[in-house]
Each structure stands twice: as C-alpha cells, then as structure tokens.
Amino acid sequence: MKLLIDKIEKEGTVLANDVLKVDAFLNHQMDPFLMKEIGEEFARLFSSENITKVVTIESSGIGPGLMTALALQVPLVFARKKKSITMQQDVYTAKVYSFTKKEENEISISHKWLEAGDRVLIIDDFLANGQAALGLLSIVEEAKAEAVGFGIVIEKAFQEGGNLLRERGYRVESLARIQSLKDNKVTFVEETLH
Ligand code: G4P
Ligand code: NA
Ligand code: NA
C-alpha cells in the first residue's frame, strides 16, 4: 500500500534489534486518515469472505481493527492482555510469549463476543514472530468460529510469523512487507512497492 510505505519511509525510524519505530502514526500517535485507508483496504481485500467479526489485540491493533470493522460494517472485538474486573470468568484465553519483551502474557476474550459460526478476520499492527496471531487464532478456534484470514499492517518478512500462518494454509494480507531493517535502513519486499 503506497500511502503506508511512503509514511514508513518518511516517519519511521529503525531502532536496534530489528525494530521499526512507527510511533508517529501507528503505535503512539495515530493517523486517523491513514487508519481509515487501511481499514478500507482490508475490507476490500476480504470483501467476498462474509466476515461477521473483526478480532484484534490491544492496544495497537485497535486503530486499524476498528477502521476495518467500520468498513465491513461488523463489530470489532479486541483481546485483552489483562483481565478486567468485569471479566473474571467465561473467557477464552491463550498464552502469548513476546520475544521482543521476553515475557508471557495471557490474552483473553469473553465467551460473549465470539460465537460458533462467526467468520473472523484477524487484524494486527505488526506481524513479527507471530505469537500474538497464533494466540488469537487459538481463541477463535476454541470458540468454534472460523478464522478467514489475517490483515497485517506491517509484516516483518524476515521473521517467522508470516510463514507460520501461511504454512497452515491461512490467507495473510500484509499492507507493507519489510525485507530487512539492516544498517538502519528499511528495505521493503519488492511486491509491496507498487
Ligand atoms: P509477535 O506477536 O509477532 O510474536 O511479536 P513480538 O512478540 O515479537 O512482539 C511483541 C510486541 O512488539 C507486539 O506489540 C508487536 O506488535 C510489537 N512489535 C514487534 N516487532 C515490532 C517492530 O519492529 N516495531 C514495533 N513498533 N513493534 C513491534 P504489543 O506488545 O502487543 O504492543 P501494543 O500492541 O500494545 O503496541
Ligand atoms: Na504493537
Ligand atoms: Na499488536
């Protein structure tokens, strides 16, 4: 997606350890115009799939997830990383290990907001090692809903997440795919440049 790639090139910075900082428009400040375009693009890509629900994880998945849900005219459900006091029981949970933060989080979604037969589009801001995506997938499966595919804003194609999901047969649509962050330089996978 050209708009997103331009934005990454202009406003993204590369930190140590292969991390792309996009606090200017995605992970801290959010650009609502860009989020709107992203939502409409995911809605277009999955338009024939009869999606009934968009699922993401707090916090940075909520922006693109909500815009996608709006464009598809379905609800958004976000998995929580901490159980709220109103949500102690009747939840699906999954353990998600973060290689970046070296910590394990338990994520959860209430039974109430996922139904057997739901056709779910999973949205996230980043796909790196894929642990968050796999956690969301296991929750969707536990609810006997169907994961129709993944919409990812930025895929770090040099990490294993994308392969893990595609090998399992899932459709993964990433709006920007990064080949490398070596030498403080963002190099995109060729195919996403047009
Ligand atoms: P994984 O889910 O693909 O396995 O990712 P990983 O454990 O490596 O990443 C943990 C957190 O770091 C996730 O956010 C993920 O989105 C984010 N992340 C991974 N690589 C990058 C990167 O290059 N740049 C940025 N900006 N983020 C990255 P999170 O902890 O869920 O945080 P948030 O959603 O509250 O922002
Ligand atoms: Na994030
Ligand atoms: Na995220």
Side-chain angles (χ1 to χ4, degrees):
M1 184 184 189
K2 180 153 192 322
L3 189 63
L4 173 64
I5 286 170
D6 287 348
K7 200 84 173 164
I8 294 170
E9 284 180 329
K10 282 204 193 83
E11 299 179 24
T13 51
V14 181
L15 305 184
N17 302 317
D18 281 342
V19 171
L20 175 67
K21 188 176 167 83
V22 285
D23 277 22
F25 59 89
L26 183 58
N27 289 138
H28 198 356
Q29 176 169 260
M30 280 194 191
D31 180 337
F33 303 100
L34 178 65
M35 291 306 126
K36 183 164 178 281
E37 296 288 329
I38 285 170
E40 286 168 0
E41 181 66 2
F42 285 137
R44 189 184 65 75
L45 288 165
F46 289 94
S47 61
S48 63
E49 295 287 357
N50 301 314
I51 306 293
T52 63
K53 208 153 270 194
V54 175
V55 166
T56 188
I57 180 168
E58 64 173 339
S59 52
S60 300
I62 294 176
L66 184 62
M67 290 316 216
T68 306
L70 178 64
L72 287 168
Q73 303 193 356
V74 299
L76 168 73
V77 183
F78 64 92
R80 290 180 180 268
K81 289 176 181 165
K82 293 211 171 69
K83 278 183 197 163
S84 80
I85 50 165
T86 61
M87 203 177 109
Q88 299 291 6
Q89 54 208 354
D90 300 328
V91 291
Y92 302 111
T93 61
K95 289 195 168 33
V96 173
Y97 180 76
S98 168
F99 290 98
T100 313
K101 296 180 176 169
K102 308 255 185 293
E103 63 180 28
E104 191 172 67
N105 277 301
E106 191 172 68
I107 65 169
S108 48
I109 291 182
S110 170
H111 289 176
K112 228 175 163 176
W113 311 126
L114 271 181
E115 283 183 82
D118 263 330
R119 292 180 58 77
V120 173
L121 173 58
I122 297 174
I123 297 286
D124 210 354
D125 58 335
F126 270 90
L127 179 61
N129 294 297
Q131 296 307 299
L134 290 173
L136 291 171
L137 185 58
S138 86
I139 285 177
V140 169
E141 284 171 349
E142 199 186 340
K144 298 188 163 45
E146 187 176 349
V148 168
F150 293 81
I152 302 296
V153 181
I154 302 174
E155 177 181 345
K156 293 160 82 181
F158 56 90
Q159 291 182 242
E160 67 181 4
N163 285 340
L164 282 176
L165 300 175
R166 292 184 182 102
E167 272 166 13
R168 293 184 179 205
Y170 288 102
R171 177 176 174 198
V172 181
E173 296 285 356
S174 303
L175 302 185
R177 298 185 74 216
I178 293 174
Q179 182 74 63
S180 155
L181 293 172
K182 289 273 170 296
D183 306 321
N184 288 340
K185 192 175 166 297
V186 184
T187 309
F188 293 95
V189 175
E190 206 62 45
E191 60 188 272
T192 55
L193 280 174
H194 41 80

PDB file of all heavy atoms in Angstrom, residues 26 38 42 54-62 64-65 121-128 131-133 136 150-155 173:
ATOM      1  N   LEU A  26       1.240   5.061  14.152  1.00  0.00           N
ATOM      2  CA  LEU A  26       0.594   3.780  14.411  1.00  0.00           C
ATOM      3  C   LEU A  26       0.624   3.330  15.874  1.00  0.00           C
ATOM      4  O   LEU A  26      -0.381   2.873  16.397  1.00  0.00           O
ATOM      5  CB  LEU A  26       1.238   2.706  13.504  1.00  0.00           C
ATOM      6  CG  LEU A  26       0.670   1.281  13.547  1.00  0.00           C
ATOM      7  CD1 LEU A  26      -0.809   1.243  13.201  1.00  0.00           C
ATOM      8  CD2 LEU A  26       1.449   0.365  12.587  1.00  0.00           C
ATOM      9  N   ILE A  38      -6.393   2.206   5.570  1.00  0.00           N
ATOM     10  CA  ILE A  38      -6.000   0.829   5.898  1.00  0.00           C
ATOM     11  C   ILE A  38      -7.245  -0.039   6.097  1.00  0.00           C
ATOM     12  O   ILE A  38      -7.347  -1.146   5.556  1.00  0.00           O
ATOM     13  CB  ILE A  38      -5.090   0.831   7.162  1.00  0.00           C
ATOM     14  CG1 ILE A  38      -3.687   1.327   6.781  1.00  0.00           C
ATOM     15  CG2 ILE A  38      -5.035  -0.553   7.813  1.00  0.00           C
ATOM     16  CD1 ILE A  38      -2.769   1.598   7.967  1.00  0.00           C
ATOM     17  N   PHE A  42      -8.299  -3.356   3.816  1.00  0.00           N
ATOM     18  CA  PHE A  42      -8.575  -4.712   4.329  1.00  0.00           C
ATOM     19  C   PHE A  42     -10.002  -5.141   3.981  1.00  0.00           C
ATOM     20  O   PHE A  42     -10.242  -6.284   3.608  1.00  0.00           O
ATOM     21  CB  PHE A  42      -8.366  -4.777   5.852  1.00  0.00           C
ATOM     22  CG  PHE A  42      -6.924  -4.802   6.289  1.00  0.00           C
ATOM     23  CD1 PHE A  42      -6.495  -4.032   7.362  1.00  0.00           C
ATOM     24  CD2 PHE A  42      -5.995  -5.612   5.635  1.00  0.00           C
ATOM     25  CE1 PHE A  42      -5.167  -4.058   7.782  1.00  0.00           C
ATOM     26  CE2 PHE A  42      -4.655  -5.637   6.049  1.00  0.00           C
ATOM     27  CZ  PHE A  42      -4.254  -4.860   7.122  1.00  0.00           C
ATOM     28  N   VAL A  54     -14.471  -8.699  13.319  1.00  0.00           N
ATOM     29  CA  VAL A  54     -13.036  -8.426  13.271  1.00  0.00           C
ATOM     30  C   VAL A  54     -12.491  -8.634  14.680  1.00  0.00           C
ATOM     31  O   VAL A  54     -13.104  -8.202  15.656  1.00  0.00           O
ATOM     32  CB  VAL A  54     -12.752  -6.991  12.779  1.00  0.00           C
ATOM     33  CG1 VAL A  54     -11.260  -6.672  12.853  1.00  0.00           C
ATOM     34  CG2 VAL A  54     -13.260  -6.800  11.350  1.00  0.00           C
ATOM     35  N   VAL A  55     -11.367  -9.341  14.776  1.00  0.00           N
ATOM     36  CA  VAL A  55     -10.733  -9.600  16.073  1.00  0.00           C
ATOM     37  C   VAL A  55      -9.305  -9.074  16.041  1.00  0.00           C
ATOM     38  O   VAL A  55      -8.583  -9.271  15.062  1.00  0.00           O
ATOM     39  CB  VAL A  55     -10.757 -11.115  16.399  1.00  0.00           C
ATOM     40  CG1 VAL A  55      -9.817 -11.448  17.558  1.00  0.00           C
ATOM     41  CG2 VAL A  55     -12.173 -11.569  16.749  1.00  0.00           C
ATOM     42  N   THR A  56      -8.920  -8.360  17.114  1.00  0.00           N
ATOM     43  CA  THR A  56      -7.547  -7.889  17.227  1.00  0.00           C
ATOM     44  C   THR A  56      -7.113  -7.983  18.680  1.00  0.00           C
ATOM     45  O   THR A  56      -7.773  -8.632  19.493  1.00  0.00           O
ATOM     46  CB  THR A  56      -7.411  -6.449  16.677  1.00  0.00           C
ATOM     47  OG1 THR A  56      -6.026  -6.097  16.623  1.00  0.00           O
ATOM     48  CG2 THR A  56      -8.145  -5.429  17.542  1.00  0.00           C
ATOM     49  N   ILE A  57      -5.968  -7.380  18.999  1.00  0.00           N
ATOM     50  CA  ILE A  57      -5.444  -7.404  20.366  1.00  0.00           C
ATOM     51  C   ILE A  57      -5.067  -5.986  20.761  1.00  0.00           C
ATOM     52  O   ILE A  57      -4.572  -5.222  19.922  1.00  0.00           O
ATOM     53  CB  ILE A  57      -4.260  -8.398  20.447  1.00  0.00           C
ATOM     54  CG1 ILE A  57      -3.670  -8.482  21.843  1.00  0.00           C
ATOM     55  CG2 ILE A  57      -3.180  -8.068  19.440  1.00  0.00           C
ATOM     56  CD1 ILE A  57      -2.703  -9.659  22.008  1.00  0.00           C
ATOM     57  N   GLU A  58      -5.334  -5.652  22.027  1.00  0.00           N
ATOM     58  CA  GLU A  58      -4.966  -4.316  22.468  1.00  0.00           C
ATOM     59  C   GLU A  58      -3.442  -4.201  22.521  1.00  0.00           C
ATOM     60  O   GLU A  58      -2.766  -5.226  22.661  1.00  0.00           O
ATOM     61  CB  GLU A  58      -5.582  -4.017  23.837  1.00  0.00           C
ATOM     62  CG  GLU A  58      -5.066  -4.919  24.951  1.00  0.00           C
ATOM     63  CD  GLU A  58      -5.575  -4.488  26.328  1.00  0.00           C
ATOM     64  OE1 GLU A  58      -5.980  -3.330  26.486  1.00  0.00           O
ATOM     65  OE2 GLU A  58      -5.545  -5.315  27.234  1.00  0.00           O
ATOM     66  N   SER A  59      -2.877  -3.010  22.424  1.00  0.00           N
ATOM     67  CA  SER A  59      -3.561  -1.766  22.167  1.00  0.00           C
ATOM     68  C   SER A  59      -3.467  -1.336  20.700  1.00  0.00           C
ATOM     69  O   SER A  59      -4.419  -0.769  20.147  1.00  0.00           O
ATOM     70  CB  SER A  59      -2.960  -0.669  23.059  1.00  0.00           C
ATOM     71  OG  SER A  59      -1.557  -0.639  22.903  1.00  0.00           O
ATOM     72  N   SER A  60      -2.339  -1.630  20.065  1.00  0.00           N
ATOM     73  CA  SER A  60      -2.119  -1.021  18.740  1.00  0.00           C
ATOM     74  C   SER A  60      -2.909  -1.656  17.610  1.00  0.00           C
ATOM     75  O   SER A  60      -2.949  -1.127  16.506  1.00  0.00           O
ATOM     76  CB  SER A  60      -0.631  -1.045  18.386  1.00  0.00           C
ATOM     77  OG  SER A  60       0.090  -0.320  19.333  1.00  0.00           O
ATOM     78  N   GLY A  61      -3.539  -2.780  17.877  1.00  0.00           N
ATOM     79  CA  GLY A  61      -4.382  -3.378  16.848  1.00  0.00           C
ATOM     80  C   GLY A  61      -5.742  -2.692  16.741  1.00  0.00           C
ATOM     81  O   GLY A  61      -6.463  -2.853  15.745  1.00  0.00           O
ATOM     82  N   ILE A  62      -6.090  -1.926  17.774  1.00  0.00           N
ATOM     83  CA  ILE A  62      -7.452  -1.396  17.851  1.00  0.00           C
ATOM     84  C   ILE A  62      -7.725  -0.343  16.765  1.00  0.00           C
ATOM     85  O   ILE A  62      -8.813  -0.330  16.175  1.00  0.00           O
ATOM     86  CB  ILE A  62      -7.746  -0.840  19.268  1.00  0.00           C
ATOM     87  CG1 ILE A  62      -7.748  -2.003  20.278  1.00  0.00           C
ATOM     88  CG2 ILE A  62      -9.097  -0.126  19.306  1.00  0.00           C
ATOM     89  CD1 ILE A  62      -7.937  -1.579  21.733  1.00  0.00           C
ATOM     90  N   PRO A  64      -6.354   0.180  13.530  1.00  0.00           N
ATOM     91  CA  PRO A  64      -6.658  -0.437  12.227  1.00  0.00           C
ATOM     92  C   PRO A  64      -7.827  -1.426  12.302  1.00  0.00           C
ATOM     93  O   PRO A  64      -8.610  -1.522  11.350  1.00  0.00           O
ATOM     94  CB  PRO A  64      -5.350  -1.149  11.830  1.00  0.00           C
ATOM     95  CG  PRO A  64      -4.516  -1.199  13.060  1.00  0.00           C
ATOM     96  CD  PRO A  64      -4.955  -0.094  13.955  1.00  0.00           C
ATOM     97  N   GLY A  65      -7.955  -2.116  13.427  1.00  0.00           N
ATOM     98  CA  GLY A  65      -9.050  -3.074  13.570  1.00  0.00           C
ATOM     99  C   GLY A  65     -10.411  -2.387  13.529  1.00  0.00           C
ATOM    100  O   GLY A  65     -11.332  -2.843  12.851  1.00  0.00           O
ATOM    101  N   LEU A 121     -12.101 -12.074  10.779  1.00  0.00           N
ATOM    102  CA  LEU A 121     -10.885 -11.514  10.189  1.00  0.00           C
ATOM    103  C   LEU A 121     -10.016 -11.016  11.334  1.00  0.00           C
ATOM    104  O   LEU A 121     -10.466 -10.200  12.154  1.00  0.00           O
ATOM    105  CB  LEU A 121     -11.242 -10.358   9.239  1.00  0.00           C
ATOM    106  CG  LEU A 121     -10.069  -9.566   8.667  1.00  0.00           C
ATOM    107  CD1 LEU A 121      -9.093 -10.457   7.898  1.00  0.00           C
ATOM    108  CD2 LEU A 121     -10.579  -8.432   7.777  1.00  0.00           C
ATOM    109  N   ILE A 122      -8.794 -11.524  11.426  1.00  0.00           N
ATOM    110  CA  ILE A 122      -7.870 -11.132  12.492  1.00  0.00           C
ATOM    111  C   ILE A 122      -6.960 -10.015  11.971  1.00  0.00           C
ATOM    112  O   ILE A 122      -6.318 -10.163  10.927  1.00  0.00           O
ATOM    113  CB  ILE A 122      -7.033 -12.347  12.963  1.00  0.00           C
ATOM    114  CG1 ILE A 122      -7.966 -13.416  13.566  1.00  0.00           C
ATOM    115  CG2 ILE A 122      -5.974 -11.906  13.980  1.00  0.00           C
ATOM    116  CD1 ILE A 122      -7.281 -14.727  13.931  1.00  0.00           C
ATOM    117  N   ILE A 123      -6.947  -8.911  12.702  1.00  0.00           N
ATOM    118  CA  ILE A 123      -6.158  -7.740  12.293  1.00  0.00           C
ATOM    119  C   ILE A 123      -5.091  -7.473  13.346  1.00  0.00           C
ATOM    120  O   ILE A 123      -5.352  -7.576  14.542  1.00  0.00           O
ATOM    121  CB  ILE A 123      -7.074  -6.483  12.180  1.00  0.00           C
ATOM    122  CG1 ILE A 123      -8.151  -6.662  11.098  1.00  0.00           C
ATOM    123  CG2 ILE A 123      -6.247  -5.216  11.952  1.00  0.00           C
ATOM    124  CD1 ILE A 123      -7.664  -6.568   9.677  1.00  0.00           C
ATOM    125  N   ASP A 124      -3.881  -7.116  12.909  1.00  0.00           N
ATOM    126  CA  ASP A 124      -2.890  -6.636  13.873  1.00  0.00           C
ATOM    127  C   ASP A 124      -1.971  -5.618  13.214  1.00  0.00           C
ATOM    128  O   ASP A 124      -1.877  -5.558  11.990  1.00  0.00           O
ATOM    129  CB  ASP A 124      -2.097  -7.796  14.492  1.00  0.00           C
ATOM    130  CG  ASP A 124      -1.645  -7.479  15.925  1.00  0.00           C
ATOM    131  OD1 ASP A 124      -1.846  -6.335  16.402  1.00  0.00           O
ATOM    132  OD2 ASP A 124      -1.085  -8.381  16.577  1.00  0.00           O
ATOM    133  N   ASP A 125      -1.338  -4.811  14.064  1.00  0.00           N
ATOM    134  CA  ASP A 125      -0.448  -3.764  13.536  1.00  0.00           C
ATOM    135  C   ASP A 125       0.848  -4.356  12.999  1.00  0.00           C
ATOM    136  O   ASP A 125       1.289  -3.999  11.917  1.00  0.00           O
ATOM    137  CB  ASP A 125      -0.183  -2.683  14.600  1.00  0.00           C
ATOM    138  CG  ASP A 125       0.427  -3.234  15.887  1.00  0.00           C
ATOM    139  OD1 ASP A 125       0.249  -4.430  16.196  1.00  0.00           O
ATOM    140  OD2 ASP A 125       1.091  -2.458  16.601  1.00  0.00           O
ATOM    141  N   PHE A 126       1.451  -5.281  13.765  1.00  0.00           N
ATOM    142  CA  PHE A 126       2.709  -5.891  13.336  1.00  0.00           C
ATOM    143  C   PHE A 126       2.575  -7.404  13.291  1.00  0.00           C
ATOM    144  O   PHE A 126       1.872  -7.998  14.117  1.00  0.00           O
ATOM    145  CB  PHE A 126       3.846  -5.557  14.310  1.00  0.00           C
ATOM    146  CG  PHE A 126       4.587  -4.289  13.968  1.00  0.00           C
ATOM    147  CD1 PHE A 126       4.169  -3.062  14.475  1.00  0.00           C
ATOM    148  CD2 PHE A 126       5.688  -4.329  13.126  1.00  0.00           C
ATOM    149  CE1 PHE A 126       4.844  -1.893  14.143  1.00  0.00           C
ATOM    150  CE2 PHE A 126       6.375  -3.166  12.790  1.00  0.00           C
ATOM    151  CZ  PHE A 126       5.948  -1.938  13.301  1.00  0.00           C
ATOM    152  N   LEU A 127       3.252  -8.021  12.368  1.00  0.00           N
ATOM    153  CA  LEU A 127       3.449  -9.472  12.396  1.00  0.00           C
ATOM    154  C   LEU A 127       4.955  -9.695  12.405  1.00  0.00           C
ATOM    155  O   LEU A 127       5.645  -9.325  11.456  1.00  0.00           O
ATOM    156  CB  LEU A 127       2.810 -10.139  11.165  1.00  0.00           C
ATOM    157  CG  LEU A 127       2.969 -11.655  11.053  1.00  0.00           C
ATOM    158  CD1 LEU A 127       2.340 -12.379  12.239  1.00  0.00           C
ATOM    159  CD2 LEU A 127       2.357 -12.168   9.745  1.00  0.00           C
ATOM    160  N   ALA A 128       5.422 -10.259  13.512  1.00  0.00           N
ATOM    161  CA  ALA A 128       6.861 -10.485  13.663  1.00  0.00           C
ATOM    162  C   ALA A 128       7.084 -11.982  13.824  1.00  0.00           C
ATOM    163  O   ALA A 128       7.168 -12.722  12.850  1.00  0.00           O
ATOM    164  CB  ALA A 128       7.385  -9.684  14.847  1.00  0.00           C
ATOM    165  N   GLN A 131       3.483 -14.760  17.427  1.00  0.00           N
ATOM    166  CA  GLN A 131       2.919 -15.353  18.651  1.00  0.00           C
ATOM    167  C   GLN A 131       1.553 -14.762  18.997  1.00  0.00           C
ATOM    168  O   GLN A 131       0.649 -15.490  19.421  1.00  0.00           O
ATOM    169  CB  GLN A 131       3.902 -15.194  19.820  1.00  0.00           C
ATOM    170  CG  GLN A 131       5.211 -15.943  19.608  1.00  0.00           C
ATOM    171  CD  GLN A 131       5.002 -17.409  19.262  1.00  0.00           C
ATOM    172  OE1 GLN A 131       4.427 -18.151  20.055  1.00  0.00           O
ATOM    173  NE2 GLN A 131       5.416 -17.824  18.078  1.00  0.00           N
ATOM    174  N   ALA A 132       1.405 -13.461  18.797  1.00  0.00           N
ATOM    175  CA  ALA A 132       0.103 -12.835  19.071  1.00  0.00           C
ATOM    176  C   ALA A 132      -0.953 -13.383  18.105  1.00  0.00           C
ATOM    177  O   ALA A 132      -2.069 -13.723  18.505  1.00  0.00           O
ATOM    178  CB  ALA A 132       0.205 -11.322  18.941  1.00  0.00           C
ATOM    179  N   ALA A 133      -0.567 -13.495  16.841  1.00  0.00           N
ATOM    180  CA  ALA A 133      -1.501 -14.002  15.819  1.00  0.00           C
ATOM    181  C   ALA A 133      -1.927 -15.437  16.147  1.00  0.00           C
ATOM    182  O   ALA A 133      -3.111 -15.782  16.048  1.00  0.00           O
ATOM    183  CB  ALA A 133      -0.840 -13.943  14.442  1.00  0.00           C
ATOM    184  N   LEU A 136      -4.387 -15.413  19.064  1.00  0.00           N
ATOM    185  CA  LEU A 136      -5.734 -15.010  18.625  1.00  0.00           C
ATOM    186  C   LEU A 136      -6.397 -16.149  17.858  1.00  0.00           C
ATOM    187  O   LEU A 136      -7.578 -16.438  18.037  1.00  0.00           O
ATOM    188  CB  LEU A 136      -5.661 -13.758  17.739  1.00  0.00           C
ATOM    189  CG  LEU A 136      -5.255 -12.467  18.463  1.00  0.00           C
ATOM    190  CD1 LEU A 136      -5.010 -11.342  17.453  1.00  0.00           C
ATOM    191  CD2 LEU A 136      -6.322 -12.050  19.482  1.00  0.00           C
ATOM    192  N   PHE A 150      -5.865 -13.144   7.874  1.00  0.00           N
ATOM    193  CA  PHE A 150      -5.176 -12.152   8.690  1.00  0.00           C
ATOM    194  C   PHE A 150      -4.918 -10.898   7.869  1.00  0.00           C
ATOM    195  O   PHE A 150      -4.451 -10.998   6.725  1.00  0.00           O
ATOM    196  CB  PHE A 150      -3.829 -12.705   9.177  1.00  0.00           C
ATOM    197  CG  PHE A 150      -3.960 -13.842  10.153  1.00  0.00           C
ATOM    198  CD1 PHE A 150      -4.191 -15.136   9.697  1.00  0.00           C
ATOM    199  CD2 PHE A 150      -3.882 -13.613  11.517  1.00  0.00           C
ATOM    200  CE1 PHE A 150      -4.326 -16.195  10.596  1.00  0.00           C
ATOM    201  CE2 PHE A 150      -4.029 -14.669  12.422  1.00  0.00           C
ATOM    202  CZ  PHE A 150      -4.246 -15.952  11.959  1.00  0.00           C
ATOM    203  N   GLY A 151      -5.216  -9.759   8.445  1.00  0.00           N
ATOM    204  CA  GLY A 151      -4.865  -8.478   7.841  1.00  0.00           C
ATOM    205  C   GLY A 151      -3.821  -7.815   8.721  1.00  0.00           C
ATOM    206  O   GLY A 151      -4.069  -7.511   9.884  1.00  0.00           O
ATOM    207  N   ILE A 152      -2.638  -7.643   8.167  1.00  0.00           N
ATOM    208  CA  ILE A 152      -1.500  -7.141   8.938  1.00  0.00           C
ATOM    209  C   ILE A 152      -1.067  -5.805   8.350  1.00  0.00           C
ATOM    210  O   ILE A 152      -0.909  -5.682   7.128  1.00  0.00           O
ATOM    211  CB  ILE A 152      -0.324  -8.146   8.853  1.00  0.00           C
ATOM    212  CG1 ILE A 152      -0.746  -9.539   9.379  1.00  0.00           C
ATOM    213  CG2 ILE A 152       0.917  -7.602   9.562  1.00  0.00           C
ATOM    214  CD1 ILE A 152      -1.126  -9.596  10.846  1.00  0.00           C
ATOM    215  N   VAL A 153      -0.858  -4.818   9.196  1.00  0.00           N
ATOM    216  CA  VAL A 153      -0.423  -3.517   8.683  1.00  0.00           C
ATOM    217  C   VAL A 153       1.031  -3.625   8.225  1.00  0.00           C
ATOM    218  O   VAL A 153       1.341  -3.350   7.070  1.00  0.00           O
ATOM    219  CB  VAL A 153      -0.623  -2.398   9.731  1.00  0.00           C
ATOM    220  CG1 VAL A 153      -0.170  -1.049   9.152  1.00  0.00           C
ATOM    221  CG2 VAL A 153      -2.087  -2.325  10.168  1.00  0.00           C
ATOM    222  N   ILE A 154       1.921  -4.050   9.112  1.00  0.00           N
ATOM    223  CA  ILE A 154       3.345  -4.159   8.758  1.00  0.00           C
ATOM    224  C   ILE A 154       3.858  -5.560   9.099  1.00  0.00           C
ATOM    225  O   ILE A 154       3.856  -5.957  10.266  1.00  0.00           O
ATOM    226  CB  ILE A 154       4.195  -3.106   9.505  1.00  0.00           C
ATOM    227  CG1 ILE A 154       3.689  -1.693   9.184  1.00  0.00           C
ATOM    228  CG2 ILE A 154       5.673  -3.251   9.133  1.00  0.00           C
ATOM    229  CD1 ILE A 154       4.382  -0.585   9.985  1.00  0.00           C
ATOM    230  N   GLU A 155       4.272  -6.282   8.085  1.00  0.00           N
ATOM    231  CA  GLU A 155       4.854  -7.618   8.293  1.00  0.00           C
ATOM    232  C   GLU A 155       6.364  -7.534   8.208  1.00  0.00           C
ATOM    233  O   GLU A 155       6.918  -7.016   7.234  1.00  0.00           O
ATOM    234  CB  GLU A 155       4.344  -8.593   7.225  1.00  0.00           C
ATOM    235  CG  GLU A 155       4.972  -9.983   7.355  1.00  0.00           C
ATOM    236  CD  GLU A 155       4.496 -10.974   6.296  1.00  0.00           C
ATOM    237  OE1 GLU A 155       3.476 -10.688   5.621  1.00  0.00           O
ATOM    238  OE2 GLU A 155       5.153 -12.019   6.136  1.00  0.00           O
ATOM    239  N   GLU A 173      -2.769 -11.098   4.461  1.00  0.00           N
ATOM    240  CA  GLU A 173      -2.617  -9.910   3.626  1.00  0.00           C
ATOM    241  C   GLU A 173      -1.891  -8.844   4.439  1.00  0.00           C
ATOM    242  O   GLU A 173      -2.404  -8.364   5.453  1.00  0.00           O
ATOM    243  CB  GLU A 173      -3.989  -9.372   3.189  1.00  0.00           C
ATOM    244  CG  GLU A 173      -4.781 -10.316   2.315  1.00  0.00           C
ATOM    245  CD  GLU A 173      -4.261 -10.386   0.875  1.00  0.00           C
ATOM    246  OE1 GLU A 173      -3.317  -9.637   0.523  1.00  0.00           O
ATOM    247  OE2 GLU A 173      -4.819 -11.202   0.112  1.00  0.00           O
TER     248      GLU A 173
END
